[in-house]
Amino acid sequence: MTSPKKQVSDKAEVKLLDYRDIPLEKWDKITCFEMAEHVGVKNFQVFLKVVTDRLKDDGIFYLQIAGLRRNWQFEDLIWGLFMNKYIFPGADASTPLAWYIAQCERAGFEVHSTHTVLLSVFIPISYFKI
């Protein structure tokens, strides 16, 4: 027995865009999934301004990033080498979570929760030969 398809096209709209190309309209929710590292430190506040300009006052911004811990550990070196080789060369994934939180608060966001998943990500990464 198969379940009927869920019809959500009237409830959600998914746009895969460069953050600079997001239409200038107000959105209930905006998700940034593993791309903020590409924006870089220099343009991060510009990026957050684009998001705040397009988010409704009571809207939700979901930000998922790859970064490093404040206190350097060997796993962080492996993570950086993996990112540089397999994900994007010259990645700016070197900023700790505290930096991102401070940047979001500086842009006017209220941070409700954070979650670190390094160990669950590191185990599969350890199978790659770097």
Side-chain angles (χ1 to χ4, degrees), residues 13 17 34 36 42 51-52 54-55 57 59 62-64 68 75 82 86 93 95 102 104-105 113 116 123-124:
E13 183 177 354
L17 300 169
E34 297 287 336
K42 179 181 172 187
V51 173
T52 56
R54 286 154 178 81
L55 196 61
D57 289 341
Y62 175 79
L63 175 63
Q64 180 172 320
L68 298 178
E75 292 88 353
F82 173 84
Y86 293 103
T95 50
C104 289
E105 288 177 336
S113 64
T116 303
I123 293 168

Side-chain angles (χ1 to χ4, degrees), residues 34-40 44 64-67 83 88 91-93 100:
E34 297 287 336
M35 66 69 63
E37 306 87 330
H38 299 273
V39 172
F44 204 75
Q64 180 172 320
I65 54 164
M83 293 292 283
F88 51 100
D92 194 359
Y100 286 104

Side-chain angles (χ1 to χ4, degrees), residues 23-69:
L24 189 54
E25 54 188 272
K26 296 292 184 175
W27 301 86
D28 296 317
K29 296 176 182 80
I30 296 177
T31 297
C32 172
F33 187 77
E34 297 287 336
M35 66 69 63
E37 306 87 330
H38 299 273
V39 172
V41 172
K42 179 181 172 187
N43 296 316
F44 204 75
Q45 280 299 312
V46 172
F47 162 67
L48 291 177
K49 175 80 169 117
V50 168
V51 173
T52 56
D53 288 348
R54 286 154 178 81
L55 196 61
K56 290 182 180 177
D57 289 341
D58 60 347
I60 296 172
F61 177 44
Y62 175 79
L63 175 63
Q64 180 172 320
I65 54 164
L68 298 178
R69 292 175 279 204

